[in-house]
Amino acid sequence: MKNRNRLTTYILVGLVLGIAVGYAAHNYLENPAGFADTLSLVTTLFLRLIKMIIAPLVFSTLVVGIAKMGDASEVGRIGVKALGWFVIASILSLTLGLILVNLFRPGDAMAAAGHLPAVTESSGIAVTGLTLKEFITHLVPASIVDGMAKNEILQIVIFSIFFGTGAAAVGARATPLIDAIDGAAHVMLKVTGYVMNFAPIAVFAAVASVIAKSGVGVLSTYGVFMGEFYLGIALLWILLIGIGVLFVGPRILQLVRELREPTILAFTCASSEAAFPKTLEGLERFGVKNRLAAFVLPIGYSFNLDGSMMYCTFATIFIAQAYGIEVPLSTQITMMLVLMLTSKGMAGVPRASLVVIAATLNQFQIPEAGLLLLLGIDHFLDMARSATNVIGNGIATAVVAKWEGELTNPTAADKDIATSPLR
């Protein structure tokens, strides 16, 4: 417990120092952009260390968990329950974004200011539409080695489900292999602890880099838009936690406390992926059996990015408002359904929300150039999105565990025991 609190404190200290150093660099250095680029290397190194962990961690913990279940029907039942929750959470997130952007109408202020990019300008973001055929074929890896090399979480999950189910069906003959993979899972959790020691430095570098390059002035320019979006994020948190209380009870607040460290890490690094290992540990401390958490959480990273989905509807209608385009309610509902599909599998893709938004803008004849309005502040918006994704997936996993009767109430002593994929 003391180690967790100490790391959280160091991360917050890194955040404060990053803001101070970034402000000083932006205002007093001759080349703040060069300084920012140098610091960004530290953050890049940390995120690559995290990416190095994720594929073997997801594979090993998920395979061991499924093999211990031993029943393919149980895997299917848990998967259906998880996907059911993800669909409901997705609809709530997308709908909340639509309601708030129509209520606040932040694009009107931007339109009144008149400083809009020409509709012919390019955002510089590669637009990739996602058809149903492409989505389905993307689920299954042509090679698991290729899927792991690219950190395609959904593909790793699919392969791990087949591998774990096959190992369970083989029975005793697969026991030595499962024991070896279990040992690898323990090793990866230990490696996670080593990597997390660098988190405060990475947080400092990430924040200082952004402030040095853009300055705090960018926050005042878009202050109203950012304030309204962060208010929307706060309301989404309240909604998710409230629903969590209905299914899990008041203990859900304890889960939020357990996820404090990965949430802060995701916020400061603007990366849900960076928080994955610590989120897994926090769920186990809360009482979710690791075999279930290791199954539900990776799927959530592709199907349940609540903060990112709310942002998609909020930002898309904001751009339409800025260009004076009134989008009928029926079209907004269609847009929401399209985003339900195009937002899946966005985990691990750099600036994935912007890519999804760009594809949506093209489909509904809204100027793609409007994305240029968001590029300068996207990092600050991504901080809130990433933190929300951690909370949303944590609550989803806890609810599914409750439905399955796999949620325990560990004692304080149990919480300090090292994470074990066999639980």
Side-chain angles (χ1 to χ4, degrees):
M1 179 68 73
K2 289 182 179 179
N3 289 336
R4 296 199 302 271
N5 290 337
R6 187 181 299 117
L7 181 59
T8 301
T9 301
Y10 288 160
I11 290 174
L12 292 175
V13 170
L15 173 63
V16 174
L17 289 178
I19 294 173
V21 171
Y23 176 81
H26 182 77
N27 288 281
Y28 301 110
L29 289 183
E30 292 184 1
N31 185 20
F35 175 78
D37 290 339
T38 301
L39 278 182
S40 66
L41 293 175
V42 178
T43 307
T44 300
L45 176 61
F46 176 74
L47 292 178
R48 288 181 73 87
L49 286 171
I50 291 293
K51 289 176 183 292
M52 174 187 74
I53 295 170
I54 286 180
L57 182 62
V58 170
F59 172 75
S60 58
T61 54
L62 186 51
V63 166
V64 172
I66 292 175
K68 295 297 177 182
M69 288 180 189
D71 185 356
S73 64
E74 183 179 0
V75 174
R77 185 181 68 248
I78 295 173
V80 169
K81 289 180 179 179
L83 291 176
W85 175 272
F86 296 158
V87 168
I88 294 172
S90 298
I91 293 173
L92 289 175
S93 302
L94 291 166
T95 303
L96 181 61
L98 279 182
I99 292 173
L100 292 178
V101 75
N102 282 287
L103 180 64
F104 295 141
R105 298 194 63 84
D108 291 348
M110 194 63 63
H115 303 297
L116 298 176
V119 295
T120 55
E121 285 192 50
S122 172
S123 65
I125 297 174
V127 180
T128 54
L130 183 67
T131 65
L132 181 61
K133 178 182 177 181
E134 290 171 340
F135 175 70
I136 292 175
T137 54
H138 183 72
L139 288 175
V140 182
S143 165
I144 185 56
V145 176
D146 180 64
M148 286 190 168
K150 295 179 180 178
N151 263 345
E152 294 283 0
I153 293 181
L154 197 53
Q155 294 185 2
I156 297 171
V157 168
I158 295 296
F159 177 80
S160 300
I161 290 173
F162 277 100
F163 192 97
T165 303
V170 169
R173 296 186 64 179
T175 300
L177 178 60
I178 296 303
D179 288 341
I181 295 175
D182 177 51
H186 279 86
V187 171
M188 293 314 303
L189 289 169
K190 180 61 71 174
V191 172
T192 297
Y194 296 149
V195 172
M196 286 302 157
N197 290 329
F198 296 98
I201 301 174
V203 167
F204 163 78
V207 176
S209 173
V210 173
I211 297 295
K213 183 176 291 186
S214 303
V216 294
V218 70
L219 301 181
S220 60
T221 302
Y222 290 89
V224 174
F225 174 80
M226 291 182 62
E228 291 171 349
F229 176 70
Y230 268 75
L231 175 60
I233 287 292
L235 293 175
L236 181 57
W237 277 44
I238 293 171
L239 181 62
L240 291 173
I241 293 172
I243 296 174
V245 169
L246 293 178
F247 289 96
V248 180
R251 277 194 66 209
I252 205 71
L253 299 177
Q254 178 189 337
L255 173 63
V256 175
R257 288 193 294 270
E258 292 290 353
L259 296 180
R260 177 179 55 189
E261 184 182 314
T263 301
I264 293 174
L265 183 61
F267 179 81
T268 49
C269 289
S271 170
S272 307
E273 208 170 50
F276 179 88
K278 284 294 182 181
T279 304
L280 195 60
E281 292 181 12
L283 285 166
E284 183 173 359
R285 288 195 302 270
F286 178 65
V288 179
K289 295 295 180 66
N290 189 274
R291 64 192 183 95
L292 189 142
F295 177 56
V296 176
L297 190 60
I299 301 176
Y301 263 63
S302 289
F303 287 94
N304 191 47
L305 300 178
D306 298 322
S308 299
M309 285 184 288
M310 195 196 96
Y311 177 68
C312 286
T313 49
F314 195 93
T316 302
I317 301 300
F318 160 76
I319 292 172
Q321 292 171 352
Y323 282 93
I325 301 172
E326 290 297 329
V327 182
L329 179 60
S330 58
T331 304
Q332 291 188 32
I333 294 174
T334 303
M335 185 184 297
M336 185 179 75
L337 296 176
V338 169
L339 286 168
M340 277 283 292
L341 291 177
T342 57
S343 62
K344 304 313 177 190
M346 69 168 64
V349 179
R351 287 190 167 183
S353 296
L354 293 179
V355 174
V356 171
I357 292 169
T360 305
L361 293 175
N362 281 340
Q363 292 183 54
F364 291 91
Q365 288 73 53
I366 300 172
E368 181 194 335
L371 280 173
L372 296 172
L373 296 170
L374 303 173
L375 290 181
I377 57 170
D378 186 65
H379 181 87
F380 301 100
L381 301 175
D382 200 14
M383 293 165 73
R385 299 195 301 259
S386 299
T388 305
N389 294 339
V390 171
I391 292 296
N393 280 315
I395 292 174
T397 306
V399 169
V400 174
K402 180 69 173 180
W403 286 344
E404 282 293 305
E406 295 280 349
L407 183 62
T408 62
N409 192 0
T411 64
D414 293 332
K415 293 178 184 179
D416 289 327
I417 297 176
T419 303
S420 170
L422 285 174
R423 284 188 64 239

